Coordinates of all heavy atoms in Angstrom, one line a residue:
M1 N 0.8 -1.2 0.0 CA 0.0 0.0 0.0 C 0.9 1.2 0.0 O 1.8 1.4 0.9 CB -0.9 0.0 1.2 CG -2.0 -1.0 1.3 SD -3.3 -0.6 0.1 CE -4.2 0.7 1.1
P2 N 0.6 2.2 -0.9 CA 1.5 3.4 -0.9 C 1.1 4.3 0.3 O -0.1 4.3 0.7 CB 1.1 4.1 -2.2 CG -0.2 3.5 -2.6 CD -0.3 2.1 -2.0
K3 N 2.0 5.0 0.8 CA 1.7 5.9 1.9 C 0.9 7.0 1.5 O 1.2 7.7 0.5 CB 3.0 6.4 2.6 CG 3.8 5.4 3.4 CD 4.9 6.1 4.0 CE 5.7 5.0 4.8 NZ 7.0 5.6 5.4
R4 N -0.2 7.3 2.1 CA -1.1 8.4 1.7 C -1.9 8.9 2.8 O -2.4 8.0 3.6 CB -2.0 7.8 0.6 CG -3.0 8.8 0.1 CD -3.8 8.3 -1.0 NE -3.0 8.2 -2.2 CZ -3.6 8.0 -3.5 NH1 -4.8 8.0 -3.6 NH2 -2.8 7.9 -4.5
K5 N -1.9 10.1 3.0 CA -2.8 10.7 4.1 C -4.3 10.4 3.7 O -4.7 10.7 2.6 CB -2.6 12.2 4.2 CG -1.3 12.6 4.7 CD -1.2 14.1 4.9 CE 0.2 14.6 5.4 NZ 0.3 16.0 5.3
P6 N -5.0 9.8 4.7 CA -6.4 9.5 4.3 C -7.2 10.7 3.9 O -8.2 10.6 3.2 CB -7.0 8.9 5.7 CG -6.0 9.3 6.7 CD -4.6 9.5 6.0
D7 N -6.8 11.9 4.3 CA -7.7 13.1 4.0 C -7.1 13.8 2.8 O -7.5 14.9 2.4 CB -7.8 14.0 5.2 CG -6.4 14.5 5.6 OD1 -5.3 13.9 5.2 OD2 -6.2 15.5 6.4
H8 N -6.2 13.2 2.1 CA -5.6 13.8 0.9 C -6.6 13.8 -0.2 O -7.1 12.7 -0.7 CB -4.4 13.1 0.6 CG -3.7 13.8 -0.7 ND1 -3.1 15.0 -0.8 CD2 -3.7 13.3 -1.9 CE1 -2.8 15.2 -2.0 NE2 -3.0 14.3 -2.7
V9 N -6.9 15.0 -0.8 CA -7.7 15.0 -1.9 C -6.9 15.7 -3.1 O -6.5 16.8 -2.9 CB -9.0 15.9 -1.6 CG1 -9.8 16.1 -2.8 CG2 -9.8 15.3 -0.5
P10 N -6.8 15.0 -4.2 CA -6.1 15.6 -5.3 C -6.7 16.9 -5.8 O -8.1 16.9 -6.0 CB -6.0 14.5 -6.4 CG -6.6 13.3 -5.8 CD -7.3 13.7 -4.5
M11 N -6.1 18.0 -6.0 CA -6.7 19.2 -6.5 C -6.1 19.5 -7.9 O -5.1 19.3 -8.2 CB -6.3 20.3 -5.5 CG -6.8 20.1 -4.1 SD -8.6 20.0 -3.7 CE -8.9 21.7 -3.6
R12 N -7.0 20.2 -8.7 CA -6.6 20.6 -9.9 C -7.1 22.0 -10.2 O -8.1 22.4 -9.5 CB -7.2 19.7 -11.0 CG -6.6 18.3 -11.0 CD -5.1 18.3 -11.4 NE -4.6 17.0 -11.5 CZ -4.0 16.4 -10.5 NH1 -4.0 16.9 -9.3 NH2 -3.5 15.1 -10.6
T13 N -6.5 22.8 -11.1 CA -6.9 24.1 -11.4 C -7.8 24.0 -12.6 O -7.5 23.5 -13.5 CB -5.7 25.1 -11.6 OG1 -4.9 24.9 -10.5 CG2 -6.2 26.4 -11.9
C14 N -9.0 24.8 -12.5 CA -9.9 24.8 -13.6 C -9.2 25.7 -14.7 O -8.7 26.8 -14.5 CB -11.1 25.5 -13.3 SG -12.3 25.8 -14.6
A15 N -9.2 25.2 -16.0 CA -8.6 26.0 -17.1 C -9.4 27.2 -17.4 O -8.9 28.1 -18.0 CB -8.5 25.0 -18.3
I16 N -10.6 27.3 -17.0 CA -11.4 28.4 -17.4 C -11.4 29.5 -16.2 O -11.0 30.6 -16.5 CB -12.9 27.9 -17.6 CG1 -12.9 26.7 -18.4 CG2 -13.7 29.2 -18.2 CD1 -12.3 26.7 -19.7
C17 N -11.8 29.1 -15.0 CA -11.9 30.2 -14.0 C -10.6 30.2 -13.1 O -10.6 31.1 -12.2 CB -13.2 29.9 -13.2 SG -13.1 28.4 -12.3
R18 N -9.8 29.2 -13.2 CA -8.5 29.2 -12.5 C -8.7 28.9 -11.0 O -7.8 29.0 -10.2 CB -7.7 30.5 -12.6 CG -7.6 31.1 -13.9 CD -7.1 30.1 -15.0 NE -5.7 29.9 -14.7 CZ -5.0 28.9 -15.4 NH1 -5.5 28.4 -16.5 NH2 -3.7 28.7 -15.2
Q19 N -9.9 28.4 -10.6 CA -10.2 28.0 -9.2 C -9.6 26.7 -9.0 O -9.6 25.8 -10.0 CB -11.7 28.0 -9.0 CG -12.4 29.3 -9.0 CD -12.1 30.1 -7.7 OE1 -12.1 29.6 -6.7 NE2 -11.9 31.4 -7.8
V20 N -9.0 26.5 -7.9 CA -8.5 25.1 -7.5 C -9.6 24.4 -6.8 O -10.2 24.8 -5.9 CB -7.3 25.2 -6.6 CG1 -6.8 23.9 -6.2 CG2 -6.2 26.0 -7.3
R21 N -9.9 23.2 -7.4 CA -11.0 22.4 -6.8 C -10.6 20.9 -6.8 O -9.6 20.5 -7.4 CB -12.2 22.5 -7.8 CG -12.7 23.9 -7.9 CD -13.8 23.9 -9.0 NE -14.2 25.3 -9.4 CZ -15.1 26.0 -8.8 NH1 -15.8 25.5 -7.8 NH2 -15.4 27.2 -9.3
P22 N -11.3 20.1 -6.1 CA -11.0 18.6 -6.0 C -11.2 18.0 -7.4 O -12.1 18.2 -8.2 CB -12.2 18.0 -5.1 CG -12.6 19.2 -4.3 CD -12.5 20.4 -5.2
K23 N -10.2 17.3 -7.7 CA -10.0 16.7 -9.1 C -11.3 15.9 -9.5 O -11.7 15.8 -10.6 CB -8.8 15.7 -9.1 CG -8.5 15.1 -10.4 CD -7.3 14.1 -10.2 CE -7.1 13.3 -11.4 NZ -6.0 12.3 -11.1
R24 N -11.8 15.1 -8.5 CA -13.0 14.3 -8.7 C -14.2 15.1 -9.2 O -15.1 14.4 -9.9 CB -13.4 13.5 -7.5 CG -12.4 12.3 -7.2 CD -12.9 11.5 -6.1 NE -14.2 10.9 -6.3 CZ -14.3 9.7 -6.9 NH1 -13.4 9.0 -7.2 NH2 -15.6 9.3 -7.0
S25 N -14.3 16.3 -8.9 CA -15.4 17.1 -9.2 C -15.2 17.8 -10.7 O -16.1 18.5 -11.1 CB -15.7 18.2 -8.2 OG -14.7 19.2 -8.3
M26 N -14.1 17.4 -11.2 CA -13.8 18.2 -12.5 C -13.8 17.2 -13.7 O -13.8 16.0 -13.5 CB -12.5 18.9 -12.4 CG -12.5 19.8 -11.2 SD -10.9 20.6 -10.9 CE -10.8 21.9 -12.1
T27 N -13.8 17.8 -14.9 CA -13.8 17.0 -16.2 C -12.4 17.2 -16.8 O -11.9 18.3 -16.9 CB -14.9 17.5 -17.1 OG1 -16.1 17.3 -16.4 CG2 -14.9 16.7 -18.4
R28 N -11.8 16.1 -17.1 CA -10.5 16.2 -17.8 C -10.7 16.2 -19.3 O -11.5 15.5 -19.8 CB -9.6 14.9 -17.5 CG -8.3 15.0 -18.0 CD -7.4 14.0 -17.4 NE -6.0 14.2 -17.9 CZ -5.3 13.4 -18.8 NH1 -5.9 12.4 -19.3 NH2 -4.1 13.7 -19.1
I29 N -10.0 17.1 -19.9 CA -9.9 17.3 -21.3 C -8.5 17.0 -21.7 O -7.6 17.4 -21.1 CB -10.3 18.8 -21.7 CG1 -11.5 19.3 -21.0 CG2 -10.4 18.9 -23.3 CD1 -12.8 18.8 -21.4
V30 N -8.4 16.2 -22.7 CA -7.1 15.7 -23.2 C -6.8 15.9 -24.6 O -7.7 16.0 -25.5 CB -6.9 14.2 -22.8 CG1 -7.8 13.4 -23.6 CG2 -5.5 13.8 -23.0
R31 N -5.6 16.3 -24.9 CA -5.2 16.5 -26.3 C -4.4 15.3 -26.8 O -3.5 14.8 -26.2 CB -4.2 17.7 -26.4 CG -3.7 18.1 -27.7 CD -2.7 19.2 -27.8 NE -1.5 18.6 -27.3 CZ -0.4 19.5 -27.2 NH1 -0.5 20.7 -27.5 NH2 0.7 19.0 -26.7
G32 N -5.1 14.7 -27.8 CA -4.5 13.5 -28.3 C -3.3 13.8 -29.1 O -3.0 14.9 -29.5
S33 N -2.5 12.7 -29.6 CA -1.3 12.9 -30.3 C -1.6 13.4 -31.8 O -0.7 14.0 -32.4 CB -0.6 11.5 -30.5 OG -1.5 10.5 -31.0
D34 N -2.8 13.3 -32.2 CA -3.2 13.9 -33.5 C -3.7 15.4 -33.4 O -4.1 15.9 -34.4 CB -4.2 13.0 -34.2 CG -5.5 12.9 -33.3 OD1 -5.5 13.5 -32.2 OD2 -6.5 12.4 -33.8
G35 N -3.6 15.9 -32.2 CA -4.0 17.3 -32.0 C -5.5 17.4 -31.7 O -6.0 18.6 -31.5
S36 N -6.2 16.3 -31.7 CA -7.6 16.5 -31.4 C -7.8 16.7 -29.9 O -7.0 16.2 -29.1 CB -8.4 15.2 -31.9 OG -7.9 14.1 -31.1
V37 N -8.9 17.3 -29.5 CA -9.2 17.5 -28.1 C -10.5 16.8 -27.8 O -11.5 16.8 -28.5 CB -9.4 19.1 -27.8 CG1 -9.9 19.2 -26.4 CG2 -8.1 19.7 -28.1
A38 N -10.5 16.0 -26.7 CA -11.6 15.2 -26.3 C -11.8 15.2 -24.8 O -10.9 15.4 -24.0 CB -11.5 13.7 -26.9
V39 N -13.0 15.0 -24.4 CA -13.2 14.7 -23.0 C -12.7 13.4 -22.6 O -12.8 12.4 -23.4 CB -14.8 14.7 -22.7 CG1 -15.1 14.3 -21.2 CG2 -15.4 16.0 -23.0
D40 N -12.0 13.3 -21.4 CA -11.5 12.0 -21.0 C -12.2 11.6 -19.7 O -11.9 12.0 -18.6 CB -10.0 12.3 -20.7 CG -9.4 11.1 -19.9 OD1 -10.0 10.0 -20.0 OD2 -8.3 11.3 -19.3
P41 N -13.3 10.8 -19.9 CA -14.1 10.4 -18.7 C -13.3 9.6 -17.7 O -13.7 9.6 -16.6 CB -15.2 9.6 -19.3 CG -15.2 9.8 -20.8 CD -13.8 10.2 -21.1
T42 N -12.3 8.9 -18.1 CA -11.6 8.0 -17.3 C -10.5 8.7 -16.4 O -10.0 8.4 -15.4 CB -10.8 6.9 -18.0 OG1 -9.8 7.5 -18.8 CG2 -11.9 6.1 -18.9
G43 N -10.2 9.9 -17.0 CA -9.0 10.7 -16.4 C -7.7 10.1 -16.6 O -6.7 10.5 -16.0
K44 N -7.6 9.0 -17.4 CA -6.4 8.3 -17.6 C -5.8 8.3 -19.1 O -4.8 7.6 -19.2 CB -6.6 6.8 -17.1 CG -6.7 6.9 -15.6 CD -7.1 5.4 -15.1 CE -7.4 5.5 -13.7 NZ -8.2 4.3 -13.2
A45 N -6.5 9.1 -19.9 CA -6.1 9.0 -21.3 C -4.7 9.6 -21.5 O -4.2 10.5 -20.7 CB -7.1 9.7 -22.2
Q46 N -4.0 9.0 -22.5 CA -2.6 9.6 -22.9 C -2.8 10.9 -23.3 O -3.8 11.2 -24.0 CB -2.0 8.6 -23.9 CG -1.7 7.3 -23.4 CD -0.4 7.1 -22.6 OE1 0.5 7.9 -22.9 NE2 -0.4 6.3 -21.6
G47 N -1.7 11.7 -23.2 CA -1.7 13.0 -23.7 C -1.8 14.1 -22.7 O -1.9 13.9 -21.5
R48 N -1.6 15.4 -23.2 CA -1.6 16.5 -22.3 C -3.0 16.8 -21.9 O -3.8 17.1 -22.8 CB -0.9 17.7 -23.0 CG -0.8 18.9 -22.1 CD 0.0 19.9 -22.9 NE -0.1 21.2 -22.1 CZ 0.6 22.4 -22.6 NH1 1.2 22.4 -23.6 NH2 0.4 23.4 -21.8
G49 N -3.3 17.0 -20.6 CA -4.6 17.2 -20.2 C -4.8 18.5 -19.4 O -3.9 19.1 -18.9
T50 N -6.1 18.9 -19.4 CA -6.3 20.0 -18.4 C -7.7 19.7 -17.8 O -8.4 18.7 -18.2 CB -6.4 21.4 -19.3 OG1 -6.4 22.4 -18.4 CG2 -7.6 21.4 -20.2
Y51 N -8.1 20.6 -16.9 CA -9.3 20.3 -16.1 C -10.3 21.4 -16.2 O -9.8 22.6 -16.2 CB -9.0 19.9 -14.6 CG -8.3 18.6 -14.5 CD1 -6.9 18.5 -14.7 CD2 -9.0 17.5 -14.2 CE1 -6.3 17.2 -14.7 CE2 -8.4 16.2 -14.1 CZ -7.1 16.1 -14.3 OH -6.5 14.9 -14.2
V52 N -11.6 21.1 -16.2 CA -12.6 22.1 -16.2 C -13.5 21.7 -15.1 O -13.9 20.5 -14.9 CB -13.4 22.1 -17.6 CG1 -14.5 23.0 -17.6 CG2 -12.4 22.3 -18.7
C53 N -14.0 22.7 -14.3 CA -14.8 22.5 -13.2 C -16.3 22.4 -13.6 O -16.7 22.5 -14.8 CB -14.6 23.6 -12.2 SG -15.3 25.1 -12.5
N54 N -17.1 22.1 -12.5 CA -18.6 21.9 -12.8 C -19.4 23.3 -12.9 O -20.5 23.2 -13.1 CB -19.2 21.1 -11.8 CG -18.9 19.6 -12.0 OD1 -18.7 19.2 -13.1 ND2 -18.9 18.8 -11.0
D55 N -18.7 24.4 -12.7 CA -19.4 25.6 -12.7 C -20.1 25.8 -14.1 O -19.3 25.6 -15.1 CB -18.4 26.8 -12.5 CG -19.1 28.1 -12.3 OD1 -20.2 28.3 -12.9 OD2 -18.6 28.9 -11.4
P56 N -21.4 26.1 -14.2 CA -22.0 26.3 -15.5 C -21.3 27.3 -16.4 O -21.3 27.2 -17.6 CB -23.4 26.6 -15.1 CG -23.7 26.1 -13.8 CD -22.4 26.1 -13.1
A57 N -20.8 28.3 -15.7 CA -20.1 29.4 -16.5 C -18.9 28.8 -17.2 O -18.5 29.4 -18.2 CB -19.7 30.6 -15.5
C58 N -18.2 27.8 -16.6 CA -17.1 27.2 -17.3 C -17.4 26.2 -18.3 O -16.6 25.7 -19.0 CB -16.2 26.6 -16.2 SG -15.5 27.8 -15.0
R59 N -18.7 25.9 -18.5 CA -19.2 25.0 -19.5 C -19.8 25.7 -20.7 O -20.2 25.1 -21.7 CB -20.3 24.0 -18.9 CG -19.7 23.3 -17.7 CD -18.5 22.6 -18.0 NE -18.1 21.8 -16.7 CZ -18.2 20.6 -16.5 NH1 -18.8 19.8 -17.4 NH2 -17.7 20.0 -15.4
E60 N -19.7 27.1 -20.7 CA -20.2 27.8 -21.7 C -19.3 27.6 -22.9 O -18.1 27.8 -22.8 CB -20.3 29.2 -21.3 CG -21.1 30.2 -22.3 CD -20.4 30.6 -23.4 OE1 -19.3 31.1 -23.3 OE2 -20.9 30.6 -24.5
P61 N -19.8 27.2 -24.1 CA -19.0 26.7 -25.1 C -17.8 27.6 -25.6 O -16.7 27.1 -25.7 CB -19.9 26.5 -26.3 CG -21.2 26.2 -25.6 CD -21.2 27.0 -24.4
V62 N -18.1 28.9 -25.7 CA -17.0 29.7 -26.2 C -15.9 29.9 -25.1 O -14.7 29.8 -25.4 CB -17.6 31.1 -26.6 CG1 -16.4 32.1 -27.0 CG2 -18.5 30.9 -27.8
R63 N -16.3 30.1 -23.9 CA -15.3 30.3 -22.8 C -14.6 29.0 -22.6 O -13.3 29.0 -22.4 CB -16.1 30.5 -21.4 CG -16.6 31.9 -21.3 CD -17.0 32.3 -19.9 NE -15.8 32.4 -19.0 CZ -15.9 32.3 -17.6 NH1 -17.1 32.1 -17.1 NH2 -14.9 32.5 -17.0
L64 N -15.3 27.9 -22.7 CA -14.6 26.6 -22.6 C -13.6 26.4 -23.7 O -12.4 26.0 -23.5 CB -15.8 25.5 -22.7 CG -15.4 24.0 -22.5 CD1 -15.0 23.8 -21.1 CD2 -16.6 23.2 -22.7
A65 N -13.9 26.7 -25.0 CA -13.0 26.5 -26.1 C -11.8 27.4 -25.8 O -10.6 27.0 -26.1 CB -13.7 26.8 -27.4
T66 N -12.0 28.7 -25.4 CA -11.0 29.6 -25.2 C -9.9 29.0 -24.2 O -8.7 29.2 -24.3 CB -11.5 31.0 -24.9 OG1 -12.4 31.4 -25.9 CG2 -10.3 32.0 -24.8
G67 N -10.5 28.6 -23.0 CA -9.7 28.2 -21.9 C -8.9 27.0 -22.3 O -7.7 26.8 -22.0
I68 N -9.6 26.0 -23.0 CA -8.8 24.8 -23.4 C -7.7 25.1 -24.4 O -6.6 24.5 -24.3 CB -9.8 23.7 -23.9 CG1 -10.7 23.3 -22.7 CG2 -9.1 22.6 -24.5 CD1 -12.0 22.4 -23.3
Q69 N -8.1 26.0 -25.3 CA -7.1 26.4 -26.3 C -5.8 27.0 -25.6 O -4.7 26.6 -25.9 CB -7.7 27.4 -27.2 CG -6.9 27.8 -28.4 CD -7.8 28.5 -29.4 OE1 -8.8 28.0 -29.8 NE2 -7.5 29.7 -29.9
R70 N -6.0 27.8 -24.6 CA -4.9 28.4 -23.8 C -4.2 27.3 -23.0 O -2.9 27.4 -23.0 CB -5.5 29.4 -22.9 CG -4.5 30.4 -22.2 CD -5.2 31.5 -21.5 NE -6.1 30.8 -20.4 CZ -7.3 31.4 -20.1 NH1 -7.7 32.6 -20.6 NH2 -8.0 30.7 -19.3
A71 N -4.9 26.4 -22.4 CA -4.2 25.4 -21.5 C -3.5 24.4 -22.3 O -2.5 23.9 -21.9 CB -5.3 24.8 -20.7
L72 N -3.9 24.0 -23.5 CA -3.4 22.9 -24.2 C -2.7 23.3 -25.4 O -2.1 22.5 -26.2 CB -4.5 21.9 -24.7 CG -5.2 21.2 -23.4 CD1 -6.2 20.2 -23.9 CD2 -4.2 20.5 -22.5
S73 N -2.6 24.7 -25.7 CA -1.9 25.2 -26.9 C -2.3 24.5 -28.2 O -1.5 24.1 -29.0 CB -0.4 25.0 -26.7 OG 0.0 25.6 -25.4
V74 N -3.6 24.4 -28.4 CA -4.1 23.7 -29.6 C -5.4 24.5 -29.9 O -6.2 24.8 -29.1 CB -4.3 22.2 -29.3 CG1 -5.4 22.0 -28.3 CG2 -4.6 21.4 -30.6
P75 N -5.6 24.7 -31.2 CA -6.8 25.3 -31.6 C -8.1 24.4 -31.3 O -8.1 23.3 -31.5 CB -6.7 25.5 -33.1 CG -5.3 25.1 -33.5 CD -4.7 24.3 -32.4
V76 N -9.1 25.1 -30.7 CA -10.3 24.4 -30.3 C -11.5 25.1 -30.9 O -11.6 26.3 -30.7 CB -10.4 24.2 -28.8 CG1 -11.7 23.6 -28.4 CG2 -9.2 23.5 -28.2
K77 N -12.3 24.4 -31.5 CA -13.6 24.9 -31.9 C -14.6 24.6 -31.0 O -14.7 23.4 -30.6 CB -14.0 24.4 -33.4 CG -13.2 24.9 -34.5 CD -13.9 24.6 -35.8 CE -13.2 25.1 -37.1 NZ -12.1 24.3 -37.5
A78 N -15.4 25.6 -30.5 CA -16.4 25.3 -29.4 C -17.3 24.2 -29.8 O -17.7 23.3 -29.1 CB -17.2 26.6 -29.2
E79 N -17.7 24.2 -31.1 CA -18.7 23.1 -31.6 C -18.1 21.8 -31.7 O -18.8 20.8 -31.8 CB -19.4 23.6 -32.9 CG -18.3 23.8 -34.0 CD -17.8 25.2 -34.1 OE1 -17.8 25.9 -33.1 OE2 -17.4 25.7 -35.2
A80 N -16.8 21.7 -31.7 CA -16.1 20.4 -31.8 C -16.1 19.7 -30.4 O -15.8 18.5 -30.4 CB -14.7 20.6 -32.3
L81 N -16.3 20.4 -29.4 CA -16.2 19.8 -28.0 C -17.4 18.9 -27.8 O -18.5 19.3 -28.2 CB -16.1 20.8 -27.0 CG -14.8 21.6 -27.0 CD1 -14.9 22.8 -26.1 CD2 -13.6 20.7 -26.6
E82 N -17.2 17.8 -27.1 CA -18.3 16.9 -26.9 C -19.0 17.4 -25.5 O -18.8 16.8 -24.5 CB -17.8 15.4 -26.7 CG -17.2 15.0 -28.1 CD -16.6 13.7 -27.9 OE1 -17.2 12.7 -27.4 OE2 -15.4 13.5 -28.2
L83 N -19.8 18.4 -25.8 CA -20.3 19.1 -24.5 C -21.2 18.2 -23.8 O -21.3 18.3 -22.5 CB -21.0 20.4 -24.9 CG -20.0 21.5 -25.3 CD1 -20.7 22.7 -25.9 CD2 -19.2 21.9 -24.1
E84 N -22.0 17.4 -24.5 CA -23.0 16.5 -23.7 C -22.2 15.6 -22.9 O -22.7 15.3 -21.8 CB -23.8 15.7 -24.8 CG -24.9 16.6 -25.4 CD -25.6 16.0 -26.6 OE1 -25.5 14.8 -26.7 OE2 -26.0 16.7 -27.5
E85 N -21.1 15.1 -23.3 CA -20.3 14.2 -22.5 C -19.8 15.0 -21.2 O -19.7 14.4 -20.2 CB -19.1 13.6 -23.3 CG -18.6 12.3 -22.7 CD -17.6 11.7 -23.6 OE1 -17.6 11.9 -24.9 OE2 -16.8 11.0 -23.1
I86 N -19.4 16.2 -21.4 CA -18.9 17.0 -20.3 C -20.0 17.2 -19.3 O -19.9 17.0 -18.1 CB -18.3 18.4 -20.8 CG1 -17.1 18.2 -21.6 CG2 -18.1 19.3 -19.6 CD1 -16.5 19.5 -22.2
H87 N -21.2 17.5 -19.8 CA -22.3 17.8 -18.9 C -22.7 16.5 -18.2 O -23.2 16.6 -17.0 CB -23.5 18.4 -19.7 CG -23.4 19.7 -20.1 ND1 -23.2 20.7 -19.2 CD2 -23.4 20.3 -21.3 CE1 -23.1 21.9 -19.9 NE2 -23.2 21.7 -21.1
A88 N -22.5 15.4 -18.8 CA -23.0 14.2 -18.2 C -22.0 13.6 -17.0 O -22.4 12.8 -16.3 CB -23.0 13.1 -19.3
T89 N -20.8 14.3 -17.1 CA -19.8 13.9 -16.0 C -20.3 14.5 -14.7 O -20.4 15.8 -14.5 CB -18.4 14.4 -16.4 OG1 -18.2 13.9 -17.7 CG2 -17.4 13.9 -15.4
P90 N -20.4 13.7 -13.6 CA -20.8 14.3 -12.3 C -19.7 15.1 -11.7 O -18.6 14.9 -12.0 CB -21.0 13.1 -11.5 CG -20.4 11.9 -12.1 CD -20.3 12.3 -13.6
Ligands
LIG101 ZN1 -14.1 26.8 -13.6

């Protein structure tokens, strides 16, 4: 068993609002080797990832695309994001 504090909660910074929140409450967005950007429901996909929180303001398509583009250094079209999948993530 790895040593771990029982109260340790992994935190991540939202790419949109820059708030630090528990990783489990966030959606991971990953950039694939082909430059495509996709939601990573498992949180374990290969590639450079960033996180988006559950705040509805951060799920607004244009803000989302802008933030992800900045975080992952890849062009993102708002309409290309699988927003339904993001919304479905608890
Ligand atoms: Zn946010």
Side-chain angles (χ1 to χ4, degrees):
M1 289 287 286
K3 285 183 184 174
R4 175 175 291 196
K5 289 182 184 174
D7 60 345
H8 176 72
V9 177
M11 304 292 278
R12 293 292 183 272
T13 304
C14 175
I16 316 301
C17 64
R18 316 303 295 177
Q19 293 282 319
V20 177
R21 301 174 192 270
K23 182 182 169 187
R24 284 184 62 91
S25 73
M26 303 175 79
T27 300
R28 186 169 187 250
I29 313 288
V30 67
R31 182 183 72 183
S33 54
D34 59 355
S36 65
V37 172
V39 174
D40 171 20
T42 68
K44 292 171 181 159
Q46 294 280 326
R48 182 172 171 184
T50 191
Y51 289 83
V52 177
C53 75
N54 279 337
D55 190 326
C58 296
R59 306 305 178 100
E60 196 277 313
V62 175
R63 287 191 73 196
L64 190 59
T66 304
I68 292 170
Q69 188 163 307
R70 189 177 54 215
L72 297 182
S73 306
V74 67
V76 176
K77 287 194 175 85
E79 59 271 26
L81 293 168
E82 296 172 53
L83 288 170
E84 285 168 26
E85 200 172 336
I86 294 178
H87 285 299
T89 305

